[in-house]
Amino acid sequence: MNNTQTGKKRVFSGIQPSGNLHIGNYLGAIKNWVAEQHKYHNVFCIVDLHALTVPQDPAELYQKTREVALLYLACGIDLEHCAIFAQSHISAHSELTWLLNCVTPLGWLERMTQYKDKAAKQESVGVGLLDYPVLMAADIILYDSHYVPVGEDQKQHVELTRDIAIRFNNLYGETFVVPDVLIPKAGARVKGLDDPTAKMSKSSVTQGHALRLLDPPDVLRKSIMRATTDSLNRIAFDPENQPGVYNLLNIYQAITNKSQAEILAEFEGKGYGNLKKQVAEAVIAALEPMQTRYYEMAQDPAYIEQILKEGADRVRPIAEHRLRVAQERLGLRK
Ligand code: AQP
């Protein structure tokens, strides 16, 4: 089932406005959205309802939602191929979540690794944190999405989305497209610079953990030069024994699009200082033009409000149609 008269398939993805976007969000998600956007009809959401699953400051959440939308554009999202909007602006997301909740076994949610990790860090766990993947399933299947480009950490949630869509289709008749996950070859699992065994995460506040997309060049350089490595003094793609060096090489590979063989040849006989310098220059060169575009657009706050409104208006009919079909299947309307 193709989505439109043009025969192009639809892509859905999103990012939580739960902090400062980092190079993991860029290499795991946004860079690939931009690279492939012309092939599909794309729906790129700022998932503000998902951000509420852990405590947020309301004013900051509002501001970060706009910041993330501007960053999408600054990174190269083209509105000719993509709609950008805030999840909370289309009520069908919440409505379909309730319907899907009623067909999703509790045990499916309790075994999600992100839930277990995040719940362990909270003093009090809200129901929303457990229900996070059902809301994500609703986001995706509302738009008849065929593909979901995400980083490795979200793979389990997309698999759950497939299971929920299949279960609903089996119980109530063909209703939803069952989506496939798209994971990039490099950059799918960027680790913290301070601790290369942990995922780089926007909710971490540790200095030198993340490379934030809006960090100035000197901050980026400093964080990379201080990145944890090892004492083996060997440049190799060896995640088991050299997670810190592997992380830097992985970032470098994802940014430069070079092969592992090319990169190993480039760094042959060189030390970690040189590797870090090269990675820093590559990261700065990739982020600087994006930062310039971001700050230009940020001058006019009305601009992003308009983009979010137009984005929601453009895709709301798709979501409302699919919600209506689900409601009919369940006997809620004729
Ligand atoms: N470290 C990462 N490496 C590669 N991809 C990553 N993504 C996140 N971290 C990495 C990808 O970015 C997209 C948006 O993620 P999200 O905001 O929906 O939630 P998340 O995966 O929980 O991201 P964070 O940055 O760790 O946020 P917090 O700390 O708020 O939970 C997804 O495609 C994700 O795979």
Side-chain angles (χ1 to χ4, degrees):
M1 177 172 27
N2 288 332
N3 310 90
T4 66
Q5 291 147 350
T6 61
K8 281 186 179 175
K9 291 187 172 178
R10 193 169 290 124
V11 156
F12 178 95
S13 202
I15 296 185
Q16 298 181 80
S18 50
N20 298 305
L21 259 57
H22 53 70
I23 198 99
N25 300 129
Y26 177 66
L27 298 176
I30 306 173
K31 180 170 183 275
N32 309 297
W33 304 353
V34 171
E36 304 278 292
Q37 60 185 330
H38 58 283
K39 289 192 198 162
Y40 306 109
H41 289 285
N42 306 277
V43 180
F44 294 131
C45 195
I46 298 98
V47 289
D48 51 356
L49 296 173
H50 274 109
L52 293 177
T53 56
V54 296
Q56 301 290 342
D57 174 75
E60 203 167 314
L61 177 65
Y62 186 89
Q63 186 263 326
K64 286 287 169 204
T65 300
R66 273 90 197 140
E67 182 179 302
V68 173
L70 273 183
L71 280 169
Y72 285 1
L73 293 173
C75 288
I77 290 298
D78 180 348
L79 295 171
E80 197 184 314
H81 305 288
C82 312
I84 295 178
F85 67 99
Q87 184 186 30
S88 63
H89 293 183
I90 298 185
S91 60
H93 290 250
S94 305
E95 292 179 67
L96 183 62
T97 299
W98 179 255
L99 305 186
L100 299 181
N101 276 338
C102 297
V103 302
T104 305
L106 182 60
W108 288 9
L109 301 181
E110 286 171 332
R111 63 179 160 77
M112 292 292 108
T113 50
Q114 182 174 295
Y115 167 70
K116 289 192 262 185
D117 291 349
K118 289 196 173 177
K121 292 182 195 147
Q122 302 297 319
E123 265 179 35
S124 155
V125 178
V127 175
L129 191 62
L130 179 69
D131 207 26
Y132 179 114
V134 182
L135 176 58
M136 179 162 159
D139 295 342
I140 295 166
I141 64 182
L142 264 180
Y143 297 96
D144 308 337
S145 313
H146 287 86
Y147 300 116
V148 189
V150 285
E152 185 80 37
D153 63 313
Q154 292 294 335
K155 189 169 169 225
Q156 193 185 32
H157 287 163
V158 181
E159 281 161 3
L160 185 82
T161 299
R162 292 173 56 86
D163 290 342
I164 293 173
I166 291 168
R167 185 171 165 88
F168 191 103
N169 289 348
N170 286 341
L171 288 171
Y172 298 103
E174 226 30 55
T175 308
F176 297 115
V177 172
V178 179
D180 286 314
V181 70
L182 295 179
I183 308 265
K185 286 197 185 76
R189 192 185 278 270
V190 177
K191 302 298 178 82
L193 295 178
D194 57 333
D195 175 5
T197 61
K199 186 183 89 140
M200 186 178 285
S201 163
K202 56 176 126 57
S203 47
S204 168
V205 288
T206 311
Q207 203 61 32
H209 165 81
L211 295 172
R212 300 189 186 106
L213 299 187
L214 292 175
D215 276 345
D218 57 320
V219 174
L220 294 167
R221 195 174 286 114
K222 206 157 138 191
S223 302
I224 294 170
M225 295 312 290
R226 284 183 181 168
T228 301
T229 49
D230 53 58
S231 52
L232 295 177
N233 207 18
R234 182 179 73 116
I235 295 185
F237 284 87
D238 182 353
E240 292 293 309
N241 300 307
Q242 297 186 269
V245 171
Y246 178 81
N247 192 36
L248 291 171
L249 289 170
N250 185 36
I251 292 172
Y252 190 69
Q253 187 185 8
I255 286 203
T256 60
N257 297 318
K258 291 179 184 173
S259 68
Q260 292 197 355
E262 280 174 299
I263 293 172
L264 291 178
E266 191 177 334
F267 289 111
E268 204 185 329
K270 304 218 169 106
Y272 291 168
N274 182 280
L275 168 68
K276 288 177 172 180
K277 243 196 206 145
Q278 288 291 104
V279 175
E281 291 323 309
V283 167
I284 291 166
L287 296 190
E288 254 184 338
M290 183 277 293
Q291 295 181 350
T292 306
R293 284 195 294 274
Y294 173 87
Y295 288 115
E296 271 167 22
M297 289 187 287
Q299 306 244 330
D300 176 12
Y303 173 67
I304 201 61
E305 294 305 330
Q306 186 62 19
I307 299 292
L308 291 174
K309 184 182 177 311
E310 283 172 9
D313 290 347
R314 199 159 129 199
V315 297
R316 188 177 288 106
I318 306 167
E320 287 182 345
H321 170 73
R322 192 52 52 202
L323 173 66
R324 240 182 351 259
V325 174
Q327 288 168 333
E328 281 168 16
R329 297 276 196 269
L330 288 165
L332 299 175
R333 60 158 78 202
K334 279 202 173 171

